[in-house]
Structure formats: C-alpha cells, structure tokens
Amino acid sequence: MANEKLLEIKDLHVVYHTDEDDVYAVNDLTLSLDKGQTLGLVGETGAGKTTTCLSILRLLPDKIGEVTGGSIRFNGKDILDISEDEMRDIRGQEIAMIFQDPMSSLNPVYTVGYQIAEALKYHSTEYKTEQDIEKRVEEMLALVGITPERKNDYPHQFSGGMKQRVVIAMALACDPKLLLADEPTTALDVTIQAQVLKLINELKDKLKTAVVLVTHDLGIVAETCDSVAVMYAGTVIEGGPIETIFGGENHHPYTVGLFGSIPNLKVKTKRLSPIEGLMPDPADLPKGCAFSPRCPKCMDICRTTEPPKVFEGEHMIKCHLFNMNKEVEA
Ligand code: SF4
C-alpha cells in the first residue's frame, strides 16, 4: 500500500476576494499523501490549513474564495476539473471532514441516529434500504464506543467528547478513502482529546482510511502521523516523513522555532523560546521569504527573493539557507 498516492496537491494558490483586499490564503502549496497514511498539517492560526482542507472539498465560500492556480489530484482525478455533480458524489462518500467544534456539525433538533442515517442516505451507494442504514448507524456508534441504543438521543444529551465521537461516526459511516480532521480535539478537554485521537488512529487502521490531521500541536503529530507538512503564510515550508522532521538535523528556522516553543520536561533549566512577532497579513505578504521579518537567520536575499524548495530525498525545506549543492525546485 505504501507509495500509492491518494492525494497530490501541486502549486495550489487560493485567494479570498474581500471588499477591501485580495487575501492570499494559500500560496504555491505542494503536498501529497499515500493511501492509508496520516499527514500532520501543522502551523499557527492563519497559516492556511483550513483553507487547504476546504479547497480539497471544493467548499470555499462562494464568490469569495477562488482557486487561482495549481491542481488537486485525488485518487488520480483532478478534482478542480470535475463537475459539481461528480464532486458531490466524492464529498462524504470518498472524502469526509471533521470540524473543530462538534456542535457546529450536529443539528440540535435531530437525534444522533437520524443524523448519521442522513449522511448515509445522502452519500452512500452501499447502504440503501432502511434496514441496512439502521444496522450501519448502530455499527458506527458501537465502533466509536457509544452504545447503539443511544441513537435515539439528541446532541445535548452527550458530552463534548461523545459529540465528537458522533461526528467521527458520521464522517466515517460511508467508508471514505480520505478523512480531513480539522483540529478535531481543540474544543475538547485534554483527557478527552487523547481518547478522540486514539479513536481516530484505531479507526484509521481498521478502515484503512488516509487522514489529513490539521493541528498546531506537535505532540499530537508525533504520536499519530506518518508524515508532516509545516505550513507558514499559506505554503508548506518544510515537509517529510515523521522521523526526518522529529529526528533529523536540518530544519527550516520556523520549524526550529515551533520546536523551541514546546515545553520539554526532560530539560529542566531550559526556558521556552517562542517565535517573536506575528504571522504576516495575508493581504500584504512580505517580498521574498514570508518568514523573513521574524527569522533569526534572515539574510539579504531573503528580503527580495522567494526561497526555492530544496529536497533531500523525501525531506523538503523551503529556505535559502539550504539552497547549496542540493536538489532544488523553483
Ligand atoms: Fe529565514 Fe531566509 Fe530561510 Fe526565510 S529563507 S527562513 S528568512 S533564512
């Protein structure tokens, strides 16, 4: 199964057209994911992680969000080129998404069983009869650790963690090939976070679903992902297999800053070294490297010229520091 590409995004550009400005939310983004694998999409708020997921589902806000360049290939098909009808078949059935806040994904006036059944009726080609759907609803609730009898309960009768389990059951009911999990644990207590992540991991193994896990938490990535893409100002500035990102020696200065911002209980005397400054305004990105105003290693060239993508095997760093005697992609 390894090396069988499920998702390939190449040179993606997304712009939001607002009354005041054009906001460059995703800029020249390239990433890929193999079948059955988990990719951690990491970065600060505003890095373009959610916009990337919405672009994959073609759910950018109508008339405001626009893909202005690049391609998104899913299972060999360029999903930016297919009709809306074809895309509707892919959504839910082949690609599903879990959002941050479970309450925004559940309708308070319908039972959870009804809502999982609706997802099946709308998206599934496999579960068509009332009996099949009923059975699948119960099966999915059991799979996420909820007793099937609770299918007749309403969302307000569940805790935050249980609601997120229902949302996961809903997302996975149609056996999607790809699950986009957009900060699925951010709205939950820490103890519940661990349970939900464990559940996503177990289900991924059981159902062979590939996962894009959006998070700003490197600890979560270390425990759950096979590869990592670190995003900054709408683009991937470093990416590669988990061992390379967590174990390798060469890193993009922003990735170094991210690691420096995590508490390390083994090193008692070390103070945390947060990254100074803020993410640039996506409506007014700096020339050259977008990280240059915050980068402790910034050179003259960084303020004028966009850095190339430098590859060493599967490890990619987009930074002038590494652009020496290496494989480079403009
Ligand atoms: Fe820092 Fe320059 Fe590398 Fe950007 S290109 S991260 S400014 S060293």
Side-chain angles (χ1 to χ4, degrees):
M1 182 174 284
N3 297 328
E4 228 187 306
K5 291 272 174 273
L6 180 69
L7 178 70
E8 282 183 286
I9 303 181
K10 208 162 181 327
D11 307 330
L12 185 71
H13 290 261
V14 180
V15 179
Y16 289 114
H17 305 289
T18 70
D19 287 344
E20 287 99 46
D21 280 306
D22 280 349
V23 175
Y24 298 93
V26 171
N27 306 296
D28 193 27
L29 177 132
T30 294
L31 56 81
S32 68
L33 174 64
D34 290 344
K35 289 188 177 170
Q37 299 277 294
T38 300
L39 168 76
L41 204 53
V42 186
E44 290 167 86
T45 304
K49 307 184 298 289
T50 300
T51 298
T52 303
C53 291
L54 294 176
S55 306
I56 296 169
L57 281 169
R58 277 190 21 195
L59 284 179
L60 291 167
D62 201 22
K63 297 194 175 79
I64 297 173
E66 187 193 358
V67 173
T68 54
S71 61
I72 302 176
R73 292 190 78 75
F74 172 73
N75 222 7
K77 231 182 230 176
D78 188 341
I79 56 175
L80 297 178
D81 264 356
I82 61 179
S83 68
E84 187 48 40
D85 281 350
E86 275 181 273
M87 194 60 220
R88 208 171 296 128
D89 289 343
I90 288 178
R91 262 183 234 125
Q93 195 180 327
E94 296 196 50
I95 309 176
M97 185 157 174
I98 304 172
F99 294 90
Q100 279 183 29
D101 177 6
M103 263 333 276
S104 63
S105 311
L106 293 172
N107 190 328
V109 301
Y110 294 112
T111 65
V112 298
Y114 178 89
Q115 294 186 59
I116 300 172
E118 278 293 281
L120 286 161
K121 276 181 207 157
Y122 199 67
H123 297 295
S124 172
T125 47
E126 195 182 337
Y127 306 96
K128 280 289 158 214
T129 67
E130 289 293 325
Q131 273 168 330
D132 284 352
I133 289 174
E134 189 82 5
K135 197 162 156 254
R136 182 65 174 165
V137 168
E138 292 178 1
E139 196 176 281
M140 287 313 295
L141 284 173
L143 202 64
V144 297
I146 296 175
T147 45
E149 294 73 47
R150 295 206 62 187
K151 66 184 177 191
N152 297 323
D153 287 351
Y154 290 85
H156 75 268
Q157 293 172 286
F158 291 83
S159 66
M162 296 288 263
K163 278 190 208 113
Q164 196 60 305
R165 282 170 185 261
V166 172
V167 172
I168 293 170
M170 222 157 91
L172 294 177
C174 302
D175 284 332
K177 293 187 178 74
L178 174 63
L179 176 67
L180 305 171
D182 187 4
E183 310 229 18
T185 58
T186 303
L188 306 176
D189 291 342
V190 179
T191 46
I192 308 297
Q193 281 186 10
Q195 287 176 21
V196 169
L197 284 170
K198 190 163 166 267
L199 176 69
I200 292 177
N201 241 0
E202 285 169 2
L203 294 179
K204 181 200 103 178
D205 290 343
K206 211 178 274 179
L207 307 174
K208 307 284 175 244
T209 307
V211 179
V212 173
L213 181 65
V214 175
T215 180
H216 53 262
D217 187 329
L218 285 168
I220 289 177
V221 173
E223 279 177 38
T224 50
C225 296
D226 302 293
S227 59
V228 187
V230 182
M231 282 191 75
Y232 188 82
T235 196
V236 176
I237 48 89
E238 178 164 2
I242 190 91
E243 318 78 57
T244 315
I245 305 296
F246 280 80
E249 293 190 343
N250 293 331
H251 292 298
H252 188 284
Y254 178 65
T255 313
V256 174
L258 278 187
F259 278 102
S261 313
I262 319 174
N264 184 347
L265 296 178
K266 288 184 196 145
V267 187
K268 287 188 191 143
T269 51
K270 272 223 165 156
R271 293 178 73 89
L272 292 184
S273 39
I275 307 167
E276 299 294 337
L278 294 172
M279 179 91 68
D281 178 355
D284 186 21
L285 290 170
K287 236 180 151 227
C289 172
F291 189 55
S292 58
R294 305 171 76 185
C295 179
K297 302 252 169 95
C298 182
M299 305 171 283
D300 286 346
I301 187 176
C302 307
R303 295 192 192 90
T304 56
T305 312
E306 197 184 330
K309 294 168 190 154
V310 183
F311 289 87
E312 200 165 81
E314 289 182 89
H315 186 201
M316 185 284 288
I317 304 182
K318 195 174 179 195
C319 173
H320 286 299
L321 282 177
F322 298 91
N323 185 16
M324 280 164 265
N325 308 319
K326 297 272 172 65
E327 199 185 321
V328 168
E329 194 178 278

